[in-house]
Amino acid sequence: MNQIDLPHLDQQICACRLCPLFLERNLAVPGSGPAPADIMLVGEAPGKEEDLTGKPFVGRAGRLLDAALERAGLERSRVFITSVIKCRPPQNRKPKKKEIERCRPYLQSQIEILHPKIICLMGNTAAQAVLGRQGIADLRGRILEDRYLVTFHPAAVLRNRNLMDDFVSDLKMLNTGGLRLV
Ligand code: SF4
């Protein structure tokens, strides 16, 4: 994909028919935030409320993410938030490998356009799509390949609130350029 600007990339995503997910979406969800952006957050895929609004992380997981960002001292307006897959999988199922392959060039273009200094991969789908690795417990808590930080997906923290402190601790690293402050 040739480099284009963000508004044109958003247009391409919103009109995309590269995988079957376009058949059931209401709206594609390209992502939102400042451009360029020092910090980028990458989730898995839009859910029901994201599909209806075209905005990333506006449902229950999004509200938990907002609370975690606030506790980490990070304003949401400072971060660009997107996901690996830009259209909602039916019943919020996991994205299929082929869907991820088709959609991944959009994320790659966003990274090229936005030049984030640090990219937070939330959950195994994002870690696998970008780094080719899975296993949050092993990967989280340190900077990988100079600019990637792996942490939990907010939906996982919704299911297990015991993860919240570690999630906030990881997000704090985004605020300190990758350093973990004690
Ligand atoms: S999920 Fe990605 S590849 Fe599939 S239709 Fe949506 S934008 Fe296109």
Side-chain angles (χ1 to χ4, degrees), residues 1-2 21 23 31 37 39 87 89-90 108-109 114 129 144 160-161 163-165 178 181:
M1 191 178 292
N2 294 328
L21 292 179
L23 290 166
I39 302 170
C87 302
Q108 286 166 343
S109 291
L114 294 167
L144 303 165
N160 180 1
R161 296 297 181 124
L163 300 176
M164 186 65 166
D165 286 348
L181 301 180

Side-chain angles (χ1 to χ4, degrees), residues 12-23 25 28 84-88 98-99 101-104 106:
Q12 280 190 7
I13 293 169
C14 290
C16 179
R17 296 181 167 205
L18 285 176
C19 86
L21 292 179
F22 89 88
L23 290 166
R25 74 178 175 219
V84 174
I85 290 282
K86 312 302 190 193
C87 302
R88 183 192 184 203
K98 273 199 169 174
E99 294 162 352
E101 284 169 6
R102 287 291 169 95
C103 210
R104 187 165 39 206
Y106 292 128

Side-chain angles (χ1 to χ4, degrees), residues 70-82:
E70 190 176 339
R71 274 184 57 188
L74 261 176
E75 291 165 26
R76 180 162 169 153
S77 60
R78 276 184 57 204
V79 301
F80 190 93
I81 305 180
T82 188

Side-chain angles (χ1 to χ4, degrees), residues 53-173:
T53 60
K55 307 284 184 200
F57 282 97
V58 291
R60 286 181 67 219
R63 289 191 285 280
L64 181 138
L65 176 61
D66 287 345
L69 287 170
E70 190 176 339
R71 274 184 57 188
L74 261 176
E75 291 165 26
R76 180 162 169 153
S77 60
R78 276 184 57 204
V79 301
F80 190 93
I81 305 180
T82 188
S83 53
V84 174
I85 290 282
K86 312 302 190 193
C87 302
R88 183 192 184 203
Q91 283 79 49
N92 294 344
R93 65 158 167 75
K94 286 267 178 202
K96 296 177 181 173
K97 198 173 166 196
K98 273 199 169 174
E99 294 162 352
I100 292 172
E101 284 169 6
R102 287 291 169 95
C103 210
R104 187 165 39 206
Y106 292 128
L107 177 62
Q108 286 166 343
S109 291
Q110 288 173 318
I111 292 171
E112 285 168 19
I113 292 168
L114 294 167
H115 292 298
K117 290 180 182 151
I118 188 161
I119 301 171
C120 182
L121 305 170
M122 302 188 295
N124 274 320
T125 299
Q128 178 68 41
V130 176
L131 298 174
R133 299 169 71 181
Q134 290 197 27
I136 304 300
D138 287 340
L139 295 174
R140 64 168 286 268
R142 64 188 193 279
I143 299 299
L144 303 165
E145 299 181 19
D146 289 333
R147 68 166 175 170
Y148 298 104
L149 177 73
V150 174
T151 190
F152 307 102
H153 193 282
V157 185
L158 259 186
R159 290 191 295 271
N160 180 1
R161 296 297 181 124
N162 292 330
L163 300 176
M164 186 65 166
D165 286 348
D166 283 344
F167 185 47
V168 170
S169 172
D170 290 344
L171 294 178
K172 280 182 181 169
M173 290 177 69

